[in-house]
Amino acid sequence: MVDESEKTKHTCLRLELSGADPIFIKGTWYHSHFDISITDGSSSWICNATEDEVAERASQWDQPVSEYLELAEQYLGFQQPNSVYAFSDALEGCKRLSWTFEKEGTKLEWRWKCKPSNDSKKITVGILDFLMEANIRLSEEVVNKTRSFEKMKSEAEKCLAQGEKICNEKTEFETETYAKFLSVLNAKKAKLRALRDKEDSVRAVEEEESTDKTESFDSGRSDNEQSEQEVSKKASSSKARGRKRAARS
């Protein structure tokens, strides 16, 4: 068994009509039938479509009852821009509500007969009350959504500020780290240059000392050679004088 309360929907449409004043249509939609009440501000009409009537109409259009009701709710809950609506006079003070739609490329029209209400004031007041309640609910929803939006905006601003702070801290940290790295690197470079200069200085001293030793050795050797030559010359001279004396004798 289907719970009627779970399937009940309510709609209210301000229907603009060509060449006539707008009317208000309040619909109550059930799982197998519907009720509508209509007012133009001074008079009102009602249409209580029974389950049998809805089933018959749906059968005529080869549609399930649920699909028929869904389509009727769509056109009487919201004015469709491509549909032609009419609210024309019928017999005995009745009105005929009609609207057009297309199905598989064919333009079709649905009509429902609405009877005059026995209490126009009650119908009109009921529709106005529904509109006021709907407006209040809409206003509350707008307020709640606005508050939610403001809250989200505030949270987004906080997140943005926090993100900027983290970004700045990261940039500052990277700058400080890079500066420290450059300082350490420059100190190591200076130390390496000092060591290299010291090493070059030591090498220069060693090369200078090595050069002095070489020159001293060469000088000593030259002196020795000169002494040997003088000794050799003296010996040769002595031998020559000995031969001359022997010859004289």
Side-chain angles (χ1 to χ4, degrees):
M1 182 177 179
V2 179
D3 187 354
E4 288 288 330
S5 62
E6 294 181 357
K7 292 294 183 178
T8 303
K9 296 181 182 178
H10 298 282
T11 59
C12 193
L13 167 66
R14 184 179 187 273
L15 182 62
E16 298 286 345
L17 298 170
S18 178
D21 294 332
I23 59 175
F24 291 87
I25 305 175
K26 179 178 178 293
T28 303
W29 308 90
Y30 304 96
H31 80 284
S32 59
H33 64 284
F34 66 90
D35 298 330
I36 60 175
S37 53
I38 304 172
T39 183
D40 60 4
S42 58
S43 302
S44 61
W45 298 264
I46 59 173
C47 175
N48 298 323
T50 65
E51 291 186 11
D52 292 337
E53 289 174 333
V54 172
E56 182 181 356
R57 294 291 185 93
S59 177
Q60 290 175 358
W61 295 99
D62 295 327
Q63 290 178 311
V65 170
S66 59
E67 183 179 330
Y68 183 92
L69 288 172
E70 182 180 355
L71 194 58
E73 179 185 346
Q74 177 183 342
Y75 278 81
L76 298 183
F78 302 92
Q79 184 163 359
Q80 304 299 317
N82 296 326
S83 178
V84 178
Y85 291 86
F87 192 56
S88 56
D89 294 332
L91 298 177
E92 300 176 356
C94 295
K95 289 282 188 177
R96 183 176 290 105
L97 177 64
S98 64
W99 62 95
T100 61
F101 65 97
E102 287 190 5
K103 183 178 181 181
E104 298 178 356
T106 302
K107 194 168 186 178
L108 306 174
E109 183 181 54
W110 281 0
R111 299 176 182 177
W112 280 92
K113 185 178 180 180
C114 303
K115 299 177 181 180
S117 171
N118 295 327
D119 192 346
S120 293
K121 182 178 179 181
K122 180 180 179 181
I123 295 296
T124 301
V125 170
I127 292 176
L128 291 176
D129 286 344
F130 179 85
L131 289 173
M132 290 182 64
E133 291 176 0
N135 185 60
I136 291 172
R137 288 195 300 270
L138 181 61
S139 298
E140 291 176 348
E141 185 177 353
V142 170
V143 170
N144 290 335
K145 287 188 176 181
T146 301
R147 288 175 179 172
S148 178
F149 173 77
E150 292 297 333
K151 184 177 180 181
M152 291 176 61
K153 181 180 177 182
S154 177
E155 293 295 333
E157 290 175 350
K158 289 180 181 179
C159 290
L160 180 61
Q162 186 176 6
E164 290 179 351
K165 181 180 178 181
I166 293 174
C167 183
N168 292 334
E169 290 177 351
K170 180 175 179 289
T171 302
E172 184 178 353
F173 173 76
E174 290 176 348
T175 302
E176 292 179 356
T177 303
Y178 184 68
K180 290 179 180 179
F181 171 76
L182 285 180
S183 178
V184 173
L185 182 62
N186 291 332
K188 287 186 175 181
K189 285 182 176 179
K191 188 174 182 180
L192 288 174
R193 281 196 298 270
L195 291 174
R196 186 167 54 250
D197 293 342
K198 183 177 180 180
E199 187 176 318
D200 292 343
S201 177
V202 171
R203 186 182 297 111
V205 171
E206 291 177 349
E207 289 177 354
E208 185 176 355
E209 291 178 351
S210 177
T211 302
D212 291 342
K213 290 180 179 179
T214 302
E215 291 177 353
S216 177
F217 176 77
D218 290 341
S219 176
R221 187 176 61 179
S222 298
D223 292 341
N224 292 334
E225 290 177 353
Q226 185 175 1
S227 298
E228 290 177 355
Q229 290 176 358
E230 289 178 353
V231 170
S232 179
K233 287 180 178 180
K234 288 180 179 180
S236 298
S237 176
S238 178
K239 290 179 179 180
R241 283 196 298 268
R243 284 195 296 268
K244 286 181 178 180
R245 289 190 189 106
R248 289 176 184 175
S249 298

